[in-house]
Amino acid sequence: MTKSMTIGELHGILVACAGGAENAARHGEIAEASLDDLGYDSLALIETAARLKVDHGVVIPDERITDVGTLGELLRLVNEQVAGAGHGSRSTEAPEGEAQANSTPGPSLYERLGGSNGIAAVIDVLVERLFDNVSANQNADVVKMHDKVSRAGFKFMITAWSVQETGGPKIYPGKDMWAAHTNMVATERDWDVVALEIAATLSFCGVPEQESKEYMAIIDSYRDVVLDAASEERQRAVARNA
């Protein structure tokens, strides 16, 4: 893309990615309106960044796009990237030694999983399988959680958590793993049932072996935290029933 984008064009991309009313007459009004007020959250912005990259060749890091607060700010950010790309033909090749010293690390697990869209696709399958898992539902606290939290809401929370934990933008709005499990009674078996389902879902969705191992390592790193929190609840339950 070589020319600046208009507010109408950008709003149209947002609508295509995350819904909302397409109304050209209101573009002037909404330029400085809060994106939250317009109904666009961090995941919607990340999806927009992906669409801008694929369809228009405009590359905006997720951590930058999630910092914007209004449609006008987003438009300025997009057009800054367009202008920068237009002036980026000058060679910046460094001597071999310097290039090695300044080499950047490889893509994060978040990027290798396909960013927010790739992660969301896997979590969509995972949550359906977890909600229907007979072994997991033998835990009464799991059943209570399913009754309290909708599948759609749980998918959003686990997607946001996974985005953040794999090196993506810090968008998870929920409790930490300890606080999230302090009112649940869970055993080693309960943990193993869920972990097995996660591993099976990664395989089912075609996630490569290396990325699956890294994601499962993140999950396993919380094993003691979750079971310790659940153990305290189990002790409280025993005390209440004594």
Coordinates of all heavy atoms in Angstrom, one line a residue, residues 68 200 217 236:
V68 N -3.7 1.8 21.1 CA -4.5 2.9 20.6 C -5.8 3.0 21.3 O -6.4 2.0 21.7 CB -4.7 2.9 19.1 CG1 -3.3 2.9 18.4 CG2 -5.5 1.7 18.7
A200 N -4.4 -33.5 23.4 CA -5.1 -34.2 22.3 C -5.7 -33.2 21.3 O -5.7 -33.4 20.1 CB -6.3 -35.1 22.9
A217 N 4.3 -27.1 28.0 CA 5.2 -26.7 29.1 C 4.7 -25.6 29.9 O 4.8 -25.5 31.1 CB 6.6 -26.4 28.5
R236 N -10.5 -26.5 53.4 CA -11.6 -25.6 53.9 C -12.9 -26.4 53.9 O -13.8 -26.3 54.8 CB -11.7 -24.3 53.1 CG -10.6 -23.3 53.4 CD -10.9 -22.0 52.8 NE -10.9 -22.0 51.4 CZ -9.9 -21.7 50.6 NH1 -8.7 -21.4 51.2 NH2 -9.9 -21.8 49.3

